[in-house]
Amino acid sequence: MVERYELFSTAISVISTCIQKIETEQMTKYGLKGSCAQYLAVMLRNEEGITISKLSEVCMKDKAAVSRSVAELEEKGFVRRLAVGTNLYRAAIVLTEMGKQVAEYVEKQASAAVELAGNGIADEERKVFYSVLDLIASNLLSICKKGLPKSE
């Protein structure tokens, strides 16, 4: 059982580290941190805008960290806030034209990375893999919320 844990946790760590490295390499071209890649991709799918709270929830990132990244994206002209009246508090964030171009680039690069990472996996295996991965993520989220069962 410990071997399975070690294999699982090591593989997840390797995947996470590699994703962060790829994101950082791609975002450096735009003077941004790697974490911005995920935010840009999510904003691209939410053309009507997304709040920082929702963005942090979708990306499963700390709200303060998301807020800092969004402030940087806004300062560099990649996003803007949609004010509700004169109030920018809890405003939806949308991509500017420049932000859309970068987000589309990110999406293209992410698709290429996922495609290359899946080399050698048959379509049916891929379906099973993503189904199992989603189930594991869901189970782990449940454990995080409820805690592990008490052992005797």
Side-chain angles (χ1 to χ4, degrees):
M1 188 62 100
V2 172
E3 288 176 13
R4 211 165 82 187
Y5 165 73
E6 290 171 2
L7 176 63
F8 179 80
S9 62
T10 300
I12 295 297
S13 291
V14 167
I15 291 167
S16 178
T17 300
C18 290
I19 288 170
Q20 289 173 7
K21 184 176 189 290
I22 292 166
E23 287 173 339
T24 298
E25 286 173 358
Q26 298 305 309
M27 293 293 88
T28 299
K29 298 170 186 173
Y30 300 99
L32 298 169
K33 295 179 183 125
S35 58
C36 290
Q38 187 179 16
Y39 307 144
L40 290 166
V42 170
M43 285 187 266
L44 187 62
R45 288 192 317 273
N46 290 272
E47 291 181 26
E48 71 287 347
I50 187 168
T51 64
I52 287 175
S53 290
K54 185 67 176 174
L55 186 58
S56 113
E57 180 185 317
V58 170
C59 296
M60 297 213 43
K61 303 285 185 182
D62 176 70
K63 190 175 167 185
V66 173
S67 186
R68 286 189 297 273
S69 291
V70 167
E72 181 181 3
L73 287 166
E74 186 175 27
E75 181 183 301
K76 293 185 178 187
F78 296 106
V79 301
R80 64 183 175 82
R81 295 172 193 261
L82 297 178
V84 179
T86 58
N87 188 0
L88 286 176
Y89 183 69
R90 293 189 181 155
I93 311 299
V94 294
L95 294 169
T96 61
E97 272 310 307
M98 184 170 59
K100 282 181 189 171
Q101 289 173 5
V102 174
E104 287 167 355
Y105 169 80
V106 165
E107 192 166 85
K108 180 179 159 200
Q109 294 300 95
S111 291
V114 169
E115 188 67 31
L116 289 169
N119 268 347
I121 300 173
D123 287 342
E124 193 56 40
E125 291 173 316
R126 188 179 327 274
K127 287 177 191 173
V128 172
F129 170 75
Y130 281 113
S131 175
V132 170
L133 186 62
D134 187 52
L135 180 58
I136 290 170
S138 178
N139 289 342
L140 286 171
L141 280 172
S142 180
I143 291 167
C144 287
K145 288 179 184 172
K146 297 176 186 173
L148 285 169
K150 302 289 183 219
S151 59
E152 305 287 320

